């Protein structure tokens, strides 16, 4: 009898072991299914995000809205303003390339004076913009002063001070101010005289301006420039878009509304 009880108990234990083993297997299968689900979900999300980020490559914009000309100031043997740690020609190219991307997203076709460290005579820049039949032109520069406290955005217009160029300059000033840059002046002529004219703006047939995006000699402006390249580029692109829309698309909009 004792032996039978012992055997019965052993059988009971075996059944419990088998049941426990089955439960463990079920739990493992459930865990595997969960892991597989989450891994699959992660892969799908990663793929979708990748498609979204590269949507411009997969479905490139038409670039049929209008032509914009951007001049990254200086280049090649002409470094522009300099400090010990930076050169104006590098800053202007960096932001100009980003401005082009932002304008492409808005369906503008964009031409740049340069897309690398090359040099173009300043007097030829306006002629290049004319040849491309650009509707607007912006020359990108950075300022420098002996006083390290000098800061902010300054915009120069052709000496005729035409209202379209002034509108473009004011829009750029406003949008960059929204990004944190201090406002200085929007004025015609050059730093020396209103009767002079920067070569980049001397032969242009379209509204144009030369914008100094902060002082390369000011630490605060350099931080604003470096930490927000995309935001600053987007600000300039938005200003260009608003000007373009104001002068070239308002008639189209009014006709659609009728």
């Amino acid at each position: 009898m004792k032996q039978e009880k012992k055997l019965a108990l052993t059988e009971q234990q075996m059944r419990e072991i088998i049941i426990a083993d089955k439960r463990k297997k079920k739990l493992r299968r459930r865990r595997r299914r969960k892991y597989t689900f989450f891994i699959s979900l992660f892969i799908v999300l990663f793929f979708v995000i990748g498609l979204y980020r590269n949507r411009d490559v997969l479905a490139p914009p038409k670039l049929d809205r209008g032509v914009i000309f951007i001049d990254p100031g200086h280049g090649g043997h002409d470094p522009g303003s300099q400090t010990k740690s930076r050169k104006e020609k590098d800053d202007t190219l960096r932001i100009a390339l980003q401005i082009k991307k932002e304008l492409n997203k808005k369906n503008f076709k964009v031409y740049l004076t340069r897309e690398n460290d090359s040099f173009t005579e300043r007097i030829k820049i306006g002629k290049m913009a004319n040849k491309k039949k650009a509707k607007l032109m912006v020359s990108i520069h950075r300022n420098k002063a002996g006083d390290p406290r000098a800061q902010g955005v300054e915009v120069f217009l052709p000496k005729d001070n035409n209202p379209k160029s002034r509108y473009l300059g004011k829009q750029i000033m406003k949008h960059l101010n929204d990004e944190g840059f201090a406002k200085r002046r929007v004025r015609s002529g050059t730093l020396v005289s209103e009767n002079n004219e920067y070569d980049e703006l001397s032969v242009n047939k379209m509204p144009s301006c030369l914008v100094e995006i902060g002082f390369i000699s000011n630490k605060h402006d350099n931080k604003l420039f470096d930490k927000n390249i995309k935001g600053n580029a987007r600000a300039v692109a938005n200003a260009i878009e608003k000007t373009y829309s104001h002068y070239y698309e308002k008639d189209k909009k009014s006709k659609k509304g009728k």
Side-chain angles (χ1 to χ4, degrees):
M1 289 292 289
K2 287 181 180 180
Q3 190 176 359
E4 287 180 5
K5 283 183 179 180
K6 190 175 181 181
L7 288 172
L9 185 62
T10 302
E11 289 174 0
Q12 180 66 28
Q13 287 176 338
M14 289 296 293
R15 281 195 293 272
E16 288 176 355
I17 291 169
I18 291 168
I19 291 169
D21 187 57
K22 286 182 178 179
R23 285 175 180 170
K24 287 179 181 179
K25 287 180 179 178
K26 283 183 179 179
L27 285 171
R28 282 198 292 269
R29 284 197 294 270
R30 285 177 185 173
R31 288 196 192 102
R32 279 198 294 268
R33 284 197 291 268
K34 284 181 180 179
Y35 293 149
T36 303
F37 171 76
F38 284 115
I39 290 169
S40 300
L41 182 63
F42 176 80
I43 291 170
V44 170
L45 286 172
F46 183 80
F47 182 72
V48 170
I49 291 169
L51 287 176
Y52 178 78
R53 286 183 174 177
N54 294 288
R55 62 193 182 281
D56 294 334
V57 176
L58 297 172
K62 294 180 181 179
L63 305 182
D64 60 355
R65 193 171 173 187
V67 178
I68 308 296
F69 195 91
I70 303 294
D71 168 45
H74 308 284
H77 68 266
D78 175 15
S81 297
Q82 298 182 75
T83 64
K84 290 181 180 180
S85 60
R86 63 200 303 154
K87 297 177 181 178
E88 182 180 1
K89 68 174 184 177
D90 298 328
D91 286 355
T92 59
L93 180 60
R94 190 153 56 113
I95 194 168
L97 290 171
Q98 190 62 43
I99 291 170
K100 180 181 179 180
K101 288 181 182 179
E102 296 297 330
L103 287 170
N104 284 162
K105 291 176 185 177
K106 300 174 183 294
N107 293 325
F108 288 106
K109 188 170 184 62
V110 181
Y111 291 101
L112 270 65
T113 310
R114 62 188 179 98
E115 296 197 29
N116 51 41
D117 188 17
S118 58
F119 175 76
T120 301
E121 287 183 41
R122 298 176 77 161
I123 193 67
K124 292 181 179 179
I125 293 169
K127 294 177 181 178
M128 291 170 67
N130 292 339
K131 189 175 181 180
K132 296 299 183 183
K133 298 181 180 179
K135 294 292 187 180
L136 298 171
M137 176 193 148
V138 177
S139 184
I140 306 294
H141 289 258
R142 297 209 63 206
N143 222 331
K144 186 179 179 181
D147 184 354
R149 294 172 297 178
Q151 65 183 79
V153 174
E154 197 160 20
V155 180
F156 293 92
L157 311 174
K159 64 181 180 181
D160 65 2
N161 198 15
N162 67 82
K164 290 183 179 180
S165 293
R166 178 163 285 276
Y167 185 91
L168 172 63
K170 284 186 174 181
Q171 289 303 317
I172 292 174
M173 175 76 81
K174 176 184 177 300
H175 282 76
L176 285 174
N177 178 243
D178 290 342
E179 296 300 318
F181 284 99
K183 286 183 179 181
R184 288 178 74 85
R185 290 182 291 179
V186 177
R187 54 175 170 159
S188 59
T190 67
L191 184 63
V192 178
S193 171
E194 290 185 0
N195 297 318
N196 293 332
E197 194 165 38
Y198 286 113
D199 287 341
E200 293 92 329
L201 309 179
S202 61
V203 296
N204 308 63
K205 294 179 180 178
M206 75 294 298
S208 56
C209 68
L210 185 151
V211 55
E212 304 272 9
I213 305 180
F215 280 69
I216 201 170
S217 51
N218 182 270
K219 290 182 180 180
H220 178 68
D221 276 0
N222 286 335
K223 284 182 181 179
L224 288 174
F225 188 91
D226 292 334
K227 291 184 177 181
N228 192 27
I229 282 286
K230 287 186 178 180
N232 296 329
R234 194 177 302 117
V236 175
N238 288 341
I240 290 171
E241 179 184 37
K242 186 165 183 180
T243 305
Y244 185 90
S245 180
H246 180 75
Y247 285 109
Y248 300 113
E249 293 179 332
K250 60 182 180 181
D251 290 338
K252 292 180 181 178
K253 290 178 181 179
S254 61
K255 285 179 181 179
K256 284 182 181 180
K258 288 182 180 180

